[in-house]
Structure formats: C-alpha cells, structure tokens
Amino acid sequence: MPSVASSVNVQYGYTIGRGEQFGPGFTTPVFVARGEGDLLYVLCRASEYRPEGTRITVCTVDEEYVNAFARGVPQQGPHEFNFDDGSLVWPTAIAFDRNWNVYVTDEWLNRISIFTKDGDYVGKWEERPGAGDGELNRPSGLAFDADDNVYVVDCGNNRIQKFTKDGRFLAKWGTAGSGAGEFNMPWGIDLDSEGNVYIADWRNDRIQKFSPDGRFLLQFGRSGSGDGEFNRPSGVAVDNDGVVYVADWLNNRLQVFDPEGDFVTAKTGDATISKWGKEKLDANKEMWEERERAYGLEREKDFWGPTGVTVDDDNRVFVCESARNRIQVYRKLSTTFIGPRL
C-alpha cells in the first residue's frame, strides 16, 4: 500500500498584480513561471484590440517590477499584431531550460520563441504547422525534463511531443478521444520529481499522468462541480511531495490532490489588494472613495477563471487569473501522509 496525503494545509499569502498595459501590472495573464532567484515571469495575452499589452512581465515574488519583453508592437502608433521574430500573438505558456533561457509557445503562430532570461531574443524553432512528426497545431503547455529535453502539448493535434531544446523531434504519444492516453484539447503540463508527465486534458475534464516515455499511468477527474470534478481544467502543477494542484477554470477554483489523484482540498480565492494596487489607489484618494461605493466588492477575493498554476521549491503556489489581472499566492505549510509503517 503506497503512502498517500491525508491532509494538505494550503494557506493564502498575498496577491500580485493590477491591470496595466505597460509597466507594473498585467494584461490578461494566462501563465506564470518561476525563474532564477526570486523572479516571476508572467505571460500576458492581451485582446486583439489592444495587442500592445501582449508581453512577458518580469517581477519578483515580492512584487518588485523588473522589466517586460516580447511585446512585439510599439507603445504608440498603429496597434496591429506583429508577426516578426521575437513577437507574440496568442502566447500560451513559458518554460526554462537549464540555462534559464525562456521558451514561449504561441498557438497563433505555431512556433516556439526563445529569449535569454533578460528578455533578449535568441531565436525560434523552425515553424512547422501541421500534424506530422515535429509539426505543431496550436501548441499550449511545455515543460523541460532533467535532460533538458522539452515536452510540448500539441493541443490541436491532441497529442504530446518531445523535442530536444533546439527543436529536434524525439517522440510523441496521444490521439483524439476520451479513453486512457487519449486527449481532447489538452492544455497544461507539468513534470514531477521522477519525470512523470501530468496533462490537463481540457475538454475531457480530467488530469492524466504518464511515464517519461508516454506510458499511461493514471487519470482522475470527471465533468462537474463537486470535489474532484472539473469544468475545463487549464493548468496543472506538481510539488516535490507529489501533491497536484489544478486550475479548475470554469469552476473558478484551485483544487488539490494527493499523488494518487484523490481529492484533498479546494480554494475558491482569498485575494487582497496587491502592493501595486495600493500604490495606484494611493496616487488618487478619490479612487479609494469610489472603491468603497463599488457594488459587490465582497466578490473581489474570489477566483475568476484561473488559467495557470505554478508551484516552486519553497511550496509557494502561484495561481494566475486572466480576468482579474492578478496572481494569488498560497503556500503549502504541511502534508500529512498515511500508509504502511517503514
């Protein structure tokens, strides 16, 4: 009998972010990744009407603004999408290689762009839209393994592909369907400490787990709003204890599972005003007064369409909310395991 988590104590810490097209803030953040040191890389995917907000914003875990890059369109002038190298249109996820280079998937351009950790454009994989080996159709999540190879969620082709860091095809698995090892618009991905691969199988409302070579291991979840049920799970993250965190998008919550896929707990949001938010309100006291008169302010703390989740080595859990332009930060304080005596 394997050990399983009987309880996981996850507590709210603080909130990062505010809605901004430029500078300190986010515009429809869809994914957050932990970088080197105390850095966070937040992937912003603005609307087609304001594409200048599409960018990667870099800040610290303590909400100190660092910079932004990969904007691709000017801050002034005609706001039209730029398809040139180094720009983004519909970015979906970020991952780092062992040198902290930044890899970004873009489902509109069907390409993966590469930047240094400071935001300088390095290059891209050859653009290969299609369904053949190494070709992509709306790539979404990606994650590097210990050998610096990268798994890419090939959403439109309903499969997972594995590449070297320079884009050479290595392997693939998956096909369209709802059976074990099949997918229906898969989205998020993460790897555990043993290299096993977890996939947020979006339209099948489940999480699937695979061995590093693509062998199906287990699945959990089904459609619904009860404990352990999903309504379009978009993000998945696994901590060093094997605890699994799922961004349950249309159920507006974060769900937590033990390593065997059993439901442990859920969070529906606890947001407070961020440091950047307070700075903006303090700059104009009338905004504080308007805020006090706002209707339904009690709902501000709740999750609204969480899209991505990331957990770091300090057991901090970062949950990305596109609709509210913010990240809610939790911390796992303890895990209680039950199982056979060693």
Side-chain angles (χ1 to χ4, degrees):
M1 172 183 171
S3 296
V4 297
S6 62
S7 66
V8 178
N9 184 3
V10 179
Q11 292 191 5
Y12 171 76
Y14 56 97
T15 295
I16 299 173
R18 70 185 188 203
E20 297 287 351
Q21 294 288 108
F22 311 105
F26 311 132
T27 308
T28 319
V30 295
F31 192 81
V32 56
R34 277 288 278 116
E36 186 178 23
D38 63 351
L39 294 180
L40 284 175
Y41 290 70
V42 182
L43 187 59
C44 297
R45 176 170 166 166
S47 72
E48 289 83 353
Y49 303 103
R50 296 293 304 275
E52 71 274 15
T54 298
R55 65 196 188 275
I56 298 172
T57 296
V58 185
C59 64
T60 69
V61 295
D62 296 320
E63 204 172 1
E64 295 295 330
Y65 177 75
V66 178
N67 69 344
F69 63 92
R71 189 180 299 276
V73 296
Q75 296 189 21
Q76 305 295 330
H79 295 153
E80 298 178 354
F81 280 114
N82 181 353
F83 303 132
D84 293 342
D85 291 349
S87 64
L88 304 174
V89 179
W90 283 1
T92 46
I94 296 173
F96 303 96
D97 67 15
R98 63 178 51 159
N99 294 319
W100 295 107
N101 291 310
V102 183
Y103 287 66
V104 187
T105 46
D106 192 307
E107 64 168 323
W108 178 276
L109 298 173
N110 288 309
R111 75 182 179 197
I112 294 177
S113 299
I114 309 168
F115 303 84
T116 68
K117 62 183 179 181
D118 298 319
D120 297 321
Y121 176 70
V122 174
K124 65 179 181 180
W125 291 2
E126 179 185 353
E127 296 173 29
R128 294 168 291 193
D133 291 352
E135 297 176 340
L136 299 171
N137 182 5
R138 299 180 61 192
S140 49
L142 74 168
F144 277 89
D145 66 12
D147 296 322
D148 229 15
N149 295 315
V150 59
Y151 295 87
V152 178
V153 180
D154 190 5
C155 178
N157 285 322
N158 292 299
R159 64 184 180 182
I160 310 302
Q161 296 199 72
K162 183 178 180 180
F163 300 86
T164 64
K165 61 185 293 184
D166 58 0
R168 181 170 57 85
F169 172 80
L170 295 175
K172 66 179 180 181
W173 75 84
T175 186
S178 59
E182 298 176 338
F183 302 108
N184 192 344
M185 294 187 68
W187 197 259
I189 183 173
D190 199 17
L191 275 58
D192 66 17
S193 59
E194 297 178 351
N196 296 310
V197 183
Y198 295 72
I199 304 295
D201 192 0
W202 192 77
R203 190 165 279 175
N204 279 327
D205 289 326
R206 65 183 177 182
I207 302 299
Q208 295 198 68
K209 177 182 178 181
F210 300 88
S211 67
D213 60 359
R215 179 171 53 87
F216 174 81
L217 298 177
L218 67 82
Q219 64 180 354
F220 56 92
R222 61 182 181 181
S223 298
S225 57
D227 292 347
E229 298 177 338
F230 300 120
N231 192 349
R232 303 302 184 255
S234 55
V236 60
V238 190
D239 69 18
N240 290 330
D241 292 323
V243 175
V244 184
Y245 306 83
V246 181
D248 191 3
W249 184 48
L250 289 183
N251 280 327
N252 298 306
R253 62 186 178 180
L254 173 74
Q255 293 202 69
V256 184
F257 299 83
D258 71 17
E260 301 304 311
D262 295 318
F263 172 82
V264 177
T265 189
K267 296 292 182 179
T268 58
D270 299 273
T272 49
I273 302 175
S274 70
K275 181 169 69 175
W276 290 346
K278 289 178 181 177
E279 289 173 354
K280 188 165 188 175
L281 291 167
D282 287 341
N284 187 342
K285 293 184 177 180
E286 292 182 356
M287 295 180 69
W288 279 111
E289 296 172 0
E290 292 294 328
R291 174 181 168 79
E292 292 300 320
R293 291 193 290 268
Y295 176 76
L297 199 60
E298 69 278 359
R299 298 193 298 270
E300 184 182 48
K301 66 181 178 61
D302 298 336
F303 284 127
W304 184 9
T307 52
V309 57
T310 295
V311 59
D312 68 11
D313 290 338
D314 293 321
N315 288 323
R316 286 174 294 201
V317 183
F318 302 85
V319 186
C320 210
E321 287 183 86
S322 296
R324 298 200 192 275
N325 296 307
R326 69 188 182 190
I327 297 166
Q328 293 196 46
V329 185
Y330 289 80
R331 186 187 290 271
K332 188 189 73 174
L333 299 182
S334 62
T335 304
T336 301
F337 289 94
I338 59 174
R341 185 181 299 274
L342 296 178

